[in-house]
């Protein structure tokens, strides 16, 4: 595995490559990241992984500082997976150039996480746009756990006619059902148990809502989740993943989207 810490050296190395499979991460790698990388390797192209904790997508400095980091462990995982390239950029390396493409924020950015994290998606799209201009990957691998993020990146790529194809990968879960996340590493056993109970409760909600569409009652569900041990809920919504709107008919397919806090740790999921 070749490691690069600046874009000039990276571009010199991969500039003549026909195709690159790119997996962007913020490190503290887990089973979800490993699944993305294994999927990328199936495409038979050289695999490039980035690790960069992007300050522009954090609304609170404290959250950015406390985001889990474990580069030594990450390097072991990436070498074991036989990744071809690792890009470890600095802030200056990524942000001290003017990108060719303008950031396109689709209106879907205004709901769910976008409603509660004002500059989050602008920060996400900014860094992804820069990665794409540096790397020019053939494929970009993203997880469906972050459905809103994935959708907005896809809209940005289409709007700017960027020659990169997004490969959407299924959500990987812990054995107890909780969606894999780097933030899980900073949860204690009691909090993981609460997260498991939240997942089971969401499965129950979805099943009941499918039977009787009008039974979706946010106020009631919020009280139940607080009783389970959740400290705060940003949102609990049902969204049609094709229309990107709340379904109006019982026959529409939908997913339940949630963002909630266990103490100060914010978790998201969609089921």
């Amino acid at each position: 595995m070749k490691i690069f810490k600046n874009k000039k050296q990276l571009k010199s190395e991969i500039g003549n490559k026909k195709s690159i499979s790119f997996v962007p991460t913020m490190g503290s790698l887990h089973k979800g990241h490993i699944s993305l990388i294994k999927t990328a390797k199936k495409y038979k192209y050289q695999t490039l992984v980035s690790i960069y904790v992007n300050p522009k997508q954090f609304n609170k400095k404290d959250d950015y500082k406390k985001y889990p980091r474990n580069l030594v462990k990450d390097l072991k995982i990436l070498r074991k997976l036989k990744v071809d390239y690792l890009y470890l950029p600095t802030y200056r390396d990524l942000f001290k150039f003017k990108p060719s493409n303008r950031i396109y924020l689709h209106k879907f950015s205004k709901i769910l996480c976008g409603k509660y994290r004002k500059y989050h998606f602008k920060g996400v799209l900014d860094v992804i746009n820069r990665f794409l201009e540096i790397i020019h990957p053939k494929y970009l691998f993203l997880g469906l756990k972050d459905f809103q993020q994935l959708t907005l990146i896809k809209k940005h790529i289409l709007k700017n006619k960027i020659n990169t194809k997004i490969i959407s990968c299924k959500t990987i879960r812990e054995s107890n059902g909780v969606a894999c996340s780097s933030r899980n590493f900073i949860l204690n056993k009691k909090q993981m148990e609460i997260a498991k109970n939240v997942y089971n409760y969401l499965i129950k909600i979805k099943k009941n809502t499918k039977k009787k569409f009008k039974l979706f009652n946010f106020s009631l569900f919020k009280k139940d989740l607080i009783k389970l041990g959740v400290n705060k809920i940003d949102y609990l919504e049902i969204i049609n993943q094709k229309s990107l709107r709340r379904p109006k008919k019982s026959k529409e397919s939908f997913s339940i989207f949630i963002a909630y806090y266990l103490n100060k740790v914010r978790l998201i999921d969609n089921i």
Side-chain angles (χ1 to χ4, degrees):
M1 180 175 71
K2 293 185 178 180
I3 300 174
F4 298 90
K5 295 186 177 181
N6 70 71
K7 61 180 177 288
K8 186 176 180 180
Q9 292 177 350
L10 177 64
K11 290 170 79 171
S12 176
E13 172 70 25
I14 67 172
N16 296 320
K17 308 296 181 185
K18 291 183 179 180
S19 295
I20 292 288
S21 290
F22 176 43
V23 183
T25 83
M26 293 206 297
S28 202
L29 304 179
H30 52 68
K31 289 189 291 184
H33 294 120
I34 292 169
S35 179
L36 288 174
I37 294 166
K38 286 182 176 179
T39 302
K41 290 181 71 66
K42 289 178 182 178
Y43 280 68
K44 306 298 182 183
Y45 297 119
Q46 289 186 304
T47 305
L48 190 157
V49 174
S50 66
I51 294 179
Y52 181 69
V53 183
N54 177 26
K56 288 183 175 286
Q57 66 189 69
F58 288 83
N59 288 76
K60 298 177 181 179
K61 288 184 179 180
D62 189 53
D63 190 24
Y64 169 71
K65 289 178 180 178
K66 289 183 178 180
Y67 193 84
R69 296 164 172 84
N70 195 333
L71 184 58
V72 173
K73 181 182 174 184
D74 290 345
L75 289 173
K76 288 180 180 178
I77 291 171
L78 295 175
R79 288 191 174 108
K80 188 175 181 180
L81 290 169
K82 297 182 179 179
V83 166
D84 296 291
Y85 306 112
L86 171 62
Y87 183 28
L88 294 169
T90 62
Y91 180 90
R92 183 177 181 82
D93 197 50
L94 275 181
F95 291 103
K96 294 301 178 182
F97 74 95
K98 186 177 180 179
S100 300
N101 296 312
R102 295 182 64 182
I103 295 171
Y104 172 65
L105 265 178
H106 185 269
K107 60 183 180 181
F108 186 48
S109 66
K110 295 179 180 180
I111 64 172
L112 301 177
C113 283
K115 184 178 179 180
Y116 294 89
R117 304 181 76 189
K118 190 175 180 181
Y119 302 108
H120 173 68
F121 288 121
K122 185 177 180 181
V124 169
L125 289 172
D126 189 0
V127 77
I128 289 294
N129 186 52
R130 291 167 184 275
F131 275 132
L132 295 180
E133 291 199 14
I134 293 168
I135 299 165
H136 298 288
K138 178 72 174 177
Y139 298 108
L140 173 63
F141 296 81
L142 300 170
L144 282 163
K145 188 203 80 173
D146 300 292
F147 176 82
Q148 189 176 20
Q149 172 180 286
L150 185 155
T151 300
L152 292 171
I153 293 171
K154 188 178 292 186
K155 297 288 185 184
H156 169 78
I157 285 174
L158 288 172
K159 183 73 173 180
N160 286 285
K161 299 179 181 179
I162 298 170
N163 190 28
T164 294
K165 182 178 179 181
I166 289 181
I167 306 299
S168 305
C169 302
K170 67 179 182 178
T171 300
I172 303 301
R173 298 184 178 277
E174 307 287 358
S175 58
N176 62 5
V178 177
C180 290
S181 169
S182 297
R183 295 179 189 274
N184 291 354
F185 292 125
I186 49 180
L187 297 176
N188 59 39
K189 288 183 179 180
K190 183 179 178 181
Q191 289 170 329
M192 276 300 287
E193 185 67 21
I194 294 170
K196 181 193 78 170
N197 292 335
V198 169
Y199 169 74
N200 291 332
Y201 184 73
L202 294 176
I203 294 292
K204 182 181 176 181
I205 289 176
K206 185 168 185 179
K207 186 177 180 181
N208 291 340
T209 305
K210 279 186 174 181
K211 289 179 180 178
K212 293 185 179 180
F213 186 68
K214 293 182 179 180
L215 287 179
F216 193 86
N217 186 324
F218 173 74
S219 297
L220 175 63
F221 298 154
K222 182 177 180 180
K223 288 179 182 178
D224 288 344
L225 288 166
I226 296 298
K227 287 179 183 177
L228 288 175
V230 171
N231 297 103
K232 179 184 174 184
I233 302 167
D234 275 352
Y235 61 79
L236 178 67
E237 288 282 354
I238 50 176
I239 299 289
N240 182 317
Q241 291 196 5
K242 290 185 178 180
S243 69
L244 305 180
R245 297 186 179 94
R246 186 167 184 170
K248 295 180 179 179
K249 298 178 182 179
S250 59
K251 291 183 179 179
E252 286 186 62
S253 62
F254 64 86
S255 294
I256 294 180
F257 288 78
I258 190 171
Y260 66 97
Y261 288 82
L262 296 178
N263 197 3
K264 293 184 179 181
V265 181
R266 189 178 191 269
L267 301 174
I268 66 169
D269 202 353
N270 65 83
I271 296 169

